[in-house]
Amino acid sequence: MNDFRARFDSSGIEGLLKDYFDLLYTQDMDLFERVFHPDSVLYSAQDGEVVVRPRAAYRAVMEGRQSPTEAGAPRHDEILLIDVLSPEMALVKVRLRLFGNTMEDYLNLLKVGERWTVAAKLYHRAA
């Protein structure tokens, strides 16, 4: 069996994750358009409450708040896991500081054409 993982180039995923971290810190909506697939959905469950946000609703939230950059908030982000399912699908786990909270996200990625995008996001306030 020829396993594509042995020859997989993760630079496209790493580029997407750089844009993702930059987006969450700066709230640059041009990055939002590149990062999130048009049909993406975000999910969270915190304190027994499930939150489901379609892409457009999440965009509105971001547009309506001050960015961490504007607030002068410290930045910390890291990639914890990249798991490639196929040449067009991957799962990543990341951790970042956002508005004084430590967030952990699972991002389901799809490669559309030559570009990776976030198809679904599960996020959790870890601390």
Side-chain angles (χ1 to χ4, degrees):
M1 181 174 178
N2 188 3
D3 189 359
F4 71 91
R5 289 174 184 92
R7 60 190 190 300
F8 183 80
D9 178 4
S10 66
S11 63
I13 291 173
E14 291 165 2
L16 169 72
L17 294 175
K18 179 192 177 309
D19 286 348
Y20 177 77
F21 291 135
D22 288 348
L23 165 63
L24 292 178
Y25 191 69
T26 66
Q27 294 180 191
D28 176 342
M29 291 297 111
D30 289 335
L31 287 175
F32 188 93
E33 293 302 316
R34 285 201 316 251
V35 167
F36 286 97
H37 185 276
D39 297 318
S40 60
V41 179
L42 294 83
Y43 303 89
S44 183
Q46 201 78 31
D47 302 322
E49 181 181 343
V50 174
V51 177
V52 180
R53 283 197 178 119
R55 179 184 188 266
Y58 185 54
R59 182 182 173 93
V61 166
M62 289 189 81
E63 288 175 326
R65 69 183 182 202
Q66 183 182 37
S67 73
T69 302
E70 294 168 325
R75 179 172 175 172
H76 176 80
D77 42 61
E78 60 185 311
I79 300 168
L80 302 175
L81 168 78
I82 297 176
D83 186 13
V84 179
L85 180 62
S86 76
E88 298 83 20
M89 292 185 283
L91 170 73
V92 300
K93 181 179 181 182
V94 298
R95 180 180 298 134
L96 63 140
R97 295 285 300 164
L98 190 61
F99 302 109
N101 298 306
T102 299
M103 304 299 294
E104 290 185 355
D105 303 342
Y106 280 104
L107 306 173
N108 291 316
L109 306 183
L110 285 176
K111 189 173 186 184
V112 179
E114 295 299 312
R115 191 168 54 94
W116 286 93
T117 62
V118 175
K121 171 179 171 175
L122 281 80
Y123 60 98
H124 173 72
R125 185 179 63 240

